[in-house]
Amino acid sequence: MAADKLSTRHLLGIKDINRNDIELIFETADNFKDVINRPIKRVPSLRDITIANIFFENSTRTKLSFELAEKRLSADVVNFAASSSSVSKGETLIDTVNNILAMKVDMVVMRHPYAGAGVFLSKHINAQIVNAGDGAHEHPTQALLDAFSIRQKLGDVAGKKVVIVGDILHSRVAISNILCLQKLGAEVMVCGPTTLIPKFMSSLGVKIEHDLRKALNWCDVANMLRIQLERQDIKYFPSLREYAMMYGLNKQILDSLDKEIIVMHPGPINRGVEITSDVADSKQSIILEQVENGVAVRMAVLYLLASQRD
Ligand code: NCD
């Protein structure tokens, strides 16, 4: 049994939490999974809490998932999208958020294109902050739901071999996943073209492999990442077609492996690039389970953070 309190007031990154925190989040999420599978899916746990979801970057899954999690916990929810706000009129991040807080918001779930935006905010405002993705830095709830999904499928994360394939250089999902999986005792490998694997990877203690087939033969789980074209200022590979030939996961490769591996993807999927449709929709894929688990894991995070407000 994990201790009953998180070691942190905010969830800014996996870097700042420990194994006990992760296990506590998982145990709490197990309970919330039962709740969301009941006919009455709502519990009153966050009835007095107001949460603002402020998204300065596009999102479908993460935004919906947080909003559903908040509503299932009976929180009051306000949503803010930067594209339709006064940010486009030149307002600063702190001014925007202070205005939201003046309306008595207790927690802020924020996605922002700049690394460190959540940390910055947590130093300037009183509300609790949950990082829903900051640039190419961290995406802690994605990593938690990914590890939770591995635990659900394989019984445990410790000792499992996970390869993260694709655009590691621009991916906050990769960094948060590496830290989370390592804290839980998994072995992690990254696989992709040299240009998309940052040099600091070797200092994180992960294996590096450039041959997809070798990586897949090594692993129990393959987490396929999208090429983050919106963050690429130069060309890192000749063409998407060539990338797909070298690093795309298709049914032929999957079926030729010695063992049945599990296939994951944080979404959004670019079908035919990093993963073909027959793999994404195959029984080895747990992509939709990841989405389902996302709600329970986010409920657990919000509930545990709220329970330690001053
Ligand atoms: C990821 C993100 O936004 O970092 N998606 C998500 O949150 N489900 C990955 C991506 O955009 O490729």
Side-chain angles (χ1 to χ4, degrees):
M1 273 286 282
D4 60 351
K5 246 174 135 357
L6 292 180
S7 65
T8 167
R9 221 185 132 245
H10 308 282
L11 180 61
L12 300 171
I14 299 291
K15 179 171 69 57
D16 310 311
I17 61 174
N18 57 41
R19 184 175 186 152
N20 186 77
D21 292 325
I22 300 172
E23 278 162 6
L24 175 60
I25 292 167
F26 286 0
E27 284 167 21
T28 313
D30 286 335
N31 294 331
F32 284 132
K33 253 203 108 164
D34 292 343
V35 170
I36 57 181
N37 283 306
R38 280 195 223 141
I40 296 172
K41 300 177 173 55
R42 195 180 277 254
V43 286
S45 319
L46 296 197
R47 214 170 34 196
D48 301 322
I49 307 272
T50 304
I51 305 180
N53 299 314
I54 63 173
F55 279 67
F56 293 87
E57 235 189 35
N58 293 344
S59 168
T60 312
R61 249 160 308 273
T62 307
K63 190 158 178 294
L64 278 179
S65 180
F66 267 111
E67 203 177 327
L68 259 183
E70 291 152 6
K71 290 185 168 160
R72 301 256 189 268
L73 291 166
S74 306
D76 288 325
V77 180
V78 283
N79 286 307
F80 164 94
S83 52
S84 55
S85 75
S86 291
V87 171
S88 53
K89 299 181 187 168
E91 191 170 59
T92 66
L93 174 59
I94 292 190
D95 283 338
T96 303
V97 175
N98 271 334
N99 276 283
I100 298 173
L101 293 180
M103 302 173 206
K104 302 278 175 277
V105 167
D106 304 292
M107 260 191 224
V108 174
V109 174
M110 183 170 77
R111 170 166 287 193
H112 200 281
Y114 296 136
V119 178
F120 174 76
L121 207 60
S122 69
K123 297 209 161 104
H124 289 89
I125 65 171
N126 244 334
Q128 292 176 284
I129 315 290
V130 181
N131 179 7
D134 61 330
H137 181 223
E138 280 232 40
H139 190 354
T141 57
Q142 181 68 45
L144 289 166
L145 77 89
D146 288 343
F148 183 86
S149 303
I150 294 174
R151 166 184 176 266
Q152 175 183 278
K153 192 74 186 176
L154 299 179
D156 202 351
V157 177
K160 300 296 178 295
K161 294 177 174 163
V162 182
V163 64
I164 305 173
V165 183
D167 186 355
I168 313 295
L169 182 64
H170 300 98
S171 173
R172 51 194 173 210
V173 174
I175 305 290
S176 290
N177 259 269
I178 291 167
L179 298 176
C180 187
L181 292 165
Q182 287 181 333
K183 286 186 186 199
L184 292 171
E187 272 186 81
V188 188
M189 174 187 279
V190 291
C191 175
T194 322
T195 49
L196 290 178
I197 299 195
K199 292 215 167 54
F200 71 85
M201 270 301 131
S202 46
S203 69
L204 290 183
V206 300
K207 293 186 192 313
I208 297 172
E209 177 58 71
H210 300 294
D211 182 323
L212 179 64
R213 185 175 289 278
K214 283 191 189 150
L216 296 173
N217 268 320
W218 171 84
C219 75
D220 302 305
V221 179
N223 196 350
M224 307 302 297
L225 301 183
R226 183 176 66 86
I227 296 292
Q228 313 267 303
L229 283 177
E230 71 279 19
R231 295 209 175 88
Q232 299 187 359
D233 41 0
I234 56 165
K235 267 189 167 290
Y236 290 88
F237 47 84
S239 67
L240 277 181
R241 215 164 84 102
E242 204 154 319
Y243 177 83
M245 273 166 57
M246 299 282 290
Y247 293 102
L249 183 53
N250 60 45
K251 200 78 173 73
Q252 208 185 351
I253 307 178
L254 202 59
D255 291 345
S256 72
L257 303 176
D258 309 335
K259 56 181 173 186
E260 268 219 355
I261 62 163
I262 291 167
V263 178
M264 303 175 71
H265 195 305
I269 298 176
N270 280 173
R271 288 176 185 256
V273 181
E274 69 275 8
I275 192 168
T276 52
S277 279
D278 49 6
V279 174
D281 303 331
S282 72
K283 65 175 184 11
Q284 280 165 264
S285 147
I286 60 164
I287 297 173
L288 291 177
E289 276 125 291
Q290 289 173 261
V291 177
E292 183 186 339
N293 289 333
V295 178
V297 166
R298 291 184 171 110
M299 284 172 83
V301 167
L302 296 167
Y303 170 82
L304 290 166
L305 288 176
S307 64
Q308 56 187 40
R309 288 166 67 237
D310 359 278

